[in-house]
Amino acid sequence: MCKMSQSQWQPNVMVPTYYVAPRIRKGYFSTLNDAISFAEPYSRIEILSGKYFENVVIQKPIEIGVEKGDEAAEFYSHGVTFTLQDDAYIDGISIRTGDQKMAMLIENEKPIKPKVMRCEIDSIEVSGFANPHIVDNRIRNGRVHGVHVTGHASGNFTDNVIENHAWYSVSVESDGQPTFTRNKVQGGERGQIMIKGYGSLAGIAPTFSQNRITDELPKNHQKTAVSTRLDDAPVKRAGDRVDLIPNASASGLAGRAVMREIEDQQQKEEAVEWDPRSAVEVALGATPIITNNTIIGSINNGILYRSG
């Protein structure tokens, strides 16, 4: 079955629209891969609610969303569930994986610009020269990093919730200068954000702006022995705010941009302990731009800058 409908990707354009259902239904494809293979470039595919077990590969410009008024469809597989290797528009679906893999992989040696929005996704990896727009998604409960940007990839990550991942919530090892804006980042078991140089790559300089980063230690996390105190810091009472790096000229960190909140007196007292865990860690020559973010809950290492 094919109808003409309004594109959500291309303004004021009517496009051929195909339909996918989780069970056999006249006029509907039974898998998303079959619909993609049949559809012309820039067509729209609408998916009925239900569960789909398949590894979806997108190698042509295509638009994918849920049928109007329907609930989100859930895609699940062992391994990478969605691989995007061309421009695409993905809206309002759920993408899960059962393995210690990224649920979505966006990769190409050309600067493709897919847009992913309003989805529920375990985790996303962006590699090659891909430059996606990742907007208003819930990226959570993955078994690896929540978002991993590597190679020469870039991208704009805006207004997402990135939370509850087994590794870091966000990991950047790319010289493509991705931008993270107004995201809510929390619940990474190793820490929230890792930015580091990698191999021969130079110029690892992502931008983080206006994000809210909450670093709460896992229940089984062990602190080390006492080795540093906040006695000399300008935090004298609950509610005070303090620059994490008073010398703001260091390596692209904007002055008074990254702040820590001491929320209650108990946190103030516990801050005498040192812990190697950090909400944000910068390592191996990376030079990020970090402006106007709020970091909450990481008492000792709101941001840790390692040399090298």
Side-chain angles (χ1 to χ4, degrees):
M1 180 171 64
C2 177
K3 298 180 179 179
M4 299 299 291
S5 70
Q6 175 67 53
S7 171
Q8 302 301 309
W9 188 11
Q10 307 168 74
N12 303 316
V13 175
M14 301 295 288
V15 295
T17 303
Y18 302 90
Y19 298 86
V20 179
R23 298 178 182 84
I24 295 175
R25 183 170 175 176
K26 185 177 180 180
Y28 286 70
F29 290 96
S30 58
T31 72
L32 179 53
N33 278 321
D34 286 346
I36 292 170
S37 178
F38 185 84
E40 303 89 348
Y42 297 100
S43 296
R44 177 172 173 83
I45 298 173
E46 294 192 354
I47 305 168
L48 273 66
S49 64
K51 294 186 176 182
Y52 299 80
F53 188 86
E54 58 179 311
N55 300 93
V56 177
V57 179
I58 298 175
Q59 296 178 318
K60 67 174 71 170
I62 205 78
E63 178 178 335
I64 297 172
V66 295
E67 192 172 43
K68 187 175 181 180
D70 216 343
E71 297 179 357
E74 180 175 335
F75 286 83
Y76 176 88
S77 77
H78 295 297
V80 177
T81 303
F82 259 64
T83 301
L84 276 59
Q85 297 177 331
D86 207 330
D87 293 343
Y89 179 94
I90 313 294
D91 185 3
I93 63 177
S94 177
I95 302 171
R96 308 294 189 195
T97 180
D99 289 345
Q100 196 171 359
K101 302 282 187 180
M102 308 302 283
M104 174 178 281
L105 173 62
I106 304 172
E107 62 171 359
N108 201 306
E109 294 307 305
K110 297 180 180 180
I112 59 171
K113 296 183 178 181
K115 186 170 185 178
V116 180
M117 58 191 305
R118 292 186 290 269
C119 292
E120 292 270 351
I121 309 173
D122 282 358
S123 51
I124 300 174
E125 179 174 326
V126 186
S127 65
F129 286 84
N131 181 19
H133 289 250
I134 310 297
V135 181
D136 194 22
N137 299 281
R138 302 295 178 266
I139 305 168
R140 53 191 178 188
N141 303 325
R143 299 183 183 183
V144 285
H145 300 304
V147 172
H148 184 48
V149 187
T150 187
H152 306 288
S154 54
N156 292 289
F157 300 80
T158 306
D159 294 324
N160 302 286
V161 175
I162 308 171
E163 64 181 0
N164 301 336
H165 295 282
W167 297 358
Y168 288 93
S169 297
V170 176
S171 171
V172 179
E173 301 177 87
S174 167
D175 64 355
Q177 301 181 2
T179 300
F180 293 80
T181 308
R182 297 192 306 275
N183 300 285
K184 182 179 180 182
V185 181
Q186 61 187 24
E189 291 189 15
R190 297 185 182 181
Q192 305 319 312
I193 298 173
M194 166 61 81
I195 308 161
K196 67 178 180 178
Y198 180 74
S200 61
L201 290 181
I204 309 298
T207 296
F208 288 82
S209 178
Q210 303 176 53
N211 301 284
R212 186 174 181 86
I213 304 161
T214 303
D215 189 45
E216 296 180 352
L217 296 177
K219 292 181 180 180
N220 61 351
H221 188 78
Q222 299 295 320
K223 290 187 175 183
T224 65
V226 173
S227 66
T228 190
R229 303 180 66 86
L230 289 179
D231 292 346
D232 296 329
V235 179
K236 301 303 180 184
R237 63 184 183 279
D240 281 357
R241 296 164 71 93
V242 60
D243 276 334
L244 293 176
I245 300 183
N247 182 8
S249 63
S251 300
L253 295 172
R256 304 192 65 83
V258 186
M259 310 293 288
R260 176 180 61 208
E261 297 181 359
I262 303 297
E263 293 182 310
D264 56 44
Q265 193 60 36
Q266 182 178 355
Q267 284 190 349
K268 168 72 162 58
E269 293 168 358
E270 291 176 351
V272 300
E273 291 189 89
W274 179 81
D275 195 287
R277 175 191 174 88
S278 304
V280 180
E281 184 170 339
V282 183
L284 300 178
T287 57
I289 300 170
I290 304 178
T291 61
N292 299 317
N293 300 278
T294 299
I295 299 177
I296 297 174
S298 186
I299 297 302
N300 294 290
N301 296 314
I303 184 167
L304 179 62
Y305 205 93
R306 297 188 184 276
S307 64

